[in-house]
């Protein structure tokens, strides 16, 4: 299972208007659920895990969040992506007392066949590449983001 295997156009959202973190995660969940990639329990599991293990990352080019849950809430592996019109606050992964304004959310829905460490490493490598992140931010459609990610995935 590579990152490329987890990219589905109908699980990519662009120009997302979200009131807050929960709203953004709900919109990603709805896309993943509609695509039958996750179970109904996925959304609440993501929210619960986010309170215990925050996933916001303050990075040089763009702050991101990489929420994920255990496979029991997943039907088949996919990556839910939301590019937000305006940032929403996430607690930081490395310092739970701090928040960061996140513009891109990579919500990992990894089934039992997936390898979490490898997928996280691939995403981390990608989000540290300035040109990649800027291309994702500028993309006007899920199709564009899918093409960008498939080139590197």
């Amino acid at each position: 299972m590579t990152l490329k295997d987890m990219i589905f156009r109908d699980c990519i959202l662009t120009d997302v208007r979200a009131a807050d973190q929960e709203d953004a995660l709900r919109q990603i969940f709805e896309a993943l659920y509609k695509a039958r990639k996750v179970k109904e329990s996925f959304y609440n599991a993501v929210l619960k895990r986010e309170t215990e293990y925050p996933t916001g990352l303050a990075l040089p080019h763009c702050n991101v969040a990489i929420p994920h849950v255990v496979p029991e809430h997943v039907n088949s592996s996919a990556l839910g992506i939301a590019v937000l019109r305006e940032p929403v606050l996430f607690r930081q992964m490395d310092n739970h007392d701090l928040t960061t304004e996140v513009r891109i959310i990579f919500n990992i829905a990894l089934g039992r066949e997936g390898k979490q460490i490898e997928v996280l490493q691939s995403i981390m490598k990608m989000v540290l590449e300035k040109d990649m992140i800027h291309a994702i931010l500028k993309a006007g459609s899920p199709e564009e983001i899918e093409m960008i990610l498939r080139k590197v995935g």
Side-chain angles (χ1 to χ4, degrees):
M1 171 72 45
T2 66
L3 189 58
K4 192 181 288 188
D5 300 323
M6 297 174 60
I7 299 168
F8 299 93
R9 186 175 301 167
D10 51 352
C11 299
I12 301 171
L13 308 173
T14 57
D15 198 31
V16 174
R17 294 175 192 232
D20 55 24
Q21 170 189 318
E22 288 185 10
D23 185 25
L25 292 172
R26 181 190 50 75
Q27 291 182 55
I28 297 170
F29 159 72
E30 288 173 354
L32 289 165
Y33 187 72
K34 185 176 178 183
R36 299 184 194 164
K37 302 297 181 187
V38 300
K39 299 176 182 175
E40 199 169 338
S41 61
F42 183 84
Y43 176 67
N44 286 329
V46 168
L47 292 182
K48 183 176 189 297
R49 189 178 189 290
E50 196 65 34
T51 61
E52 297 167 3
Y53 303 101
T55 62
L57 291 170
L59 299 172
H61 314 299
C62 177
N63 300 334
V64 302
I66 310 173
H68 49 282
V69 295
V70 296
E72 70 186 62
H73 305 287
V74 176
N75 291 325
S76 63
S77 295
L79 183 63
I81 301 168
V83 179
L84 306 174
R85 178 177 278 199
E86 299 296 328
V88 297
L89 291 177
F90 272 74
R91 288 181 27 239
Q92 289 187 18
M93 184 184 297
D94 57 350
N95 185 339
H96 300 186
D97 295 327
L98 298 178
T99 58
T100 191
E101 293 185 332
V102 167
R103 284 285 315 278
I104 305 174
I105 302 169
F106 298 95
N107 197 166
I108 301 170
L110 197 59
R112 297 195 192 293
E113 78 285 359
K115 294 184 173 23
Q116 183 174 338
I117 299 299
E118 288 86 348
V119 170
L120 283 170
Q121 286 173 337
S122 295
I123 292 173
M124 285 304 299
K125 181 179 177 188
M126 181 178 60
V127 300
L128 292 173
E129 292 183 28
K130 178 181 178 182
D131 292 341
M132 169 77 59
I133 289 300
H134 284 218
I136 291 171
L137 286 170
K138 289 182 179 183
S141 69
E143 293 81 9
E144 284 182 64
I145 293 175
E146 179 186 27
M147 285 179 18
I148 292 164
L149 296 178
R150 288 201 181 280
K151 286 180 185 175
V152 299

